[in-house]
Amino acid sequence: MDENGGERWRECVCAVKRMQEQICLEAGFDVEHCKRIADYEEWNETAKIAKEKAVEFVMNFHEIRKKRKNWFVFFGQSGSGKTMLCNAIIRALIHFDKPVQARAVKYFEMMYRLKSHSNDEDYARIIRGYTDIEVLFIDDFLKDKSVSGTLTEADIKHLFTVIDTRYNKGKPTLITTECTPIRLSELDEAIFYRIHETAFAEIVSKGSENNYRKRL
């Protein structure tokens, strides 16, 4: 390659790196401390399946994103490694040659922001940050309702708008939750239906045998 060609290549690499850094910054994503999918240990059959699905999701993302079933959903108790695995998926997508626009957010943080601005002019802009991003990862989905409690009208209003809009737009979405599928359906059938219908992968990891932290 000639000198000019080589220089153009170096500029391209730098541009991609800058884009990746900008996406990480906007997503509030600490990529330096985020593990890779390869770091996820296959300590039992459920973990093995979860890792295989994560690899498949990333390797075939450009095809999967076009399909109806393009969500990655991990039902699991605390300690099952669900957050680590989904963060690793986001990390991989951001590091594509053409980085994917992605955002990772805690469920409580998202709901707090939406409720705090529900009656002001910033609401539309804030909710678009969750509905329009190419890939959204919602961590600890409905964590406070995983065992008991119900969703309020306000909860449903904000949450359904995010889930339903992404469902209708066909936007890939990652969700981790301590709810079981049955518990989620009890809380709101419409939300559960949309999540279940669009799941490329639906991992269910419950029981003491699926708590990796207790093995350490």
Side-chain angles (χ1 to χ4, degrees), residues 84-102:
M84 176 259 172
L85 186 61
C86 287
N87 273 330
I89 291 174
I90 295 294
R91 184 189 194 281
L93 297 180
I94 290 175
H95 279 80
F96 278 179
D97 288 340
K98 185 178 180 181
V100 176
Q101 294 285 336

Side-chain angles (χ1 to χ4, degrees), residues 62-98:
H62 292 303
E63 292 302 318
I64 291 172
R65 75 195 303 179
K66 302 172 187 175
K67 298 180 179 180
R68 187 60 173 161
K69 290 183 175 295
N70 59 13
W71 290 30
F72 192 98
V73 187
F74 200 144
F75 297 92
Q77 65 197 47
S78 177
S80 59
K82 57 189 183 296
T83 298
M84 176 259 172
L85 186 61
C86 287
N87 273 330
I89 291 174
I90 295 294
R91 184 189 194 281
L93 297 180
I94 290 175
H95 279 80
F96 278 179
D97 288 340
K98 185 178 180 181

Side-chain angles (χ1 to χ4, degrees), residues 17 66 74 83 95 115 117 171 196:
K17 184 173 178 58
K66 302 172 187 175
F74 200 144
T83 298
H95 279 80
K115 289 180 179 180
H117 295 276
K171 297 281 190 181
H196 177 70

Side-chain angles (χ1 to χ4, degrees), residues 34-84:
C34 178
K35 294 185 178 181
R36 303 168 187 267
I37 294 175
D39 298 322
Y40 187 78
E41 294 188 33
E42 303 172 30
W43 70 89
N44 63 16
E45 188 62 25
T46 302
K48 180 181 178 181
I49 293 171
K51 185 174 183 177
E52 288 173 349
K53 282 294 185 181
V55 170
E56 184 181 356
F57 186 81
V58 171
M59 294 296 292
N60 300 298
F61 179 74
H62 292 303
E63 292 302 318
I64 291 172
R65 75 195 303 179
K66 302 172 187 175
K67 298 180 179 180
R68 187 60 173 161
K69 290 183 175 295
N70 59 13
W71 290 30
F72 192 98
V73 187
F74 200 144
F75 297 92
Q77 65 197 47
S78 177
S80 59
K82 57 189 183 296
T83 298
M84 176 259 172

Side-chain angles (χ1 to χ4, degrees), residues 149-171:
T150 59
L151 290 172
T152 66
E153 288 186 14
D155 291 332
I156 294 173
K157 170 192 170 184
H158 305 302
L159 193 54
F160 183 78
T161 300
V162 173
I163 297 298
D164 187 56
T165 302
R166 297 191 65 80
Y167 168 86
N168 288 323
K169 289 185 174 183
K171 297 281 190 181

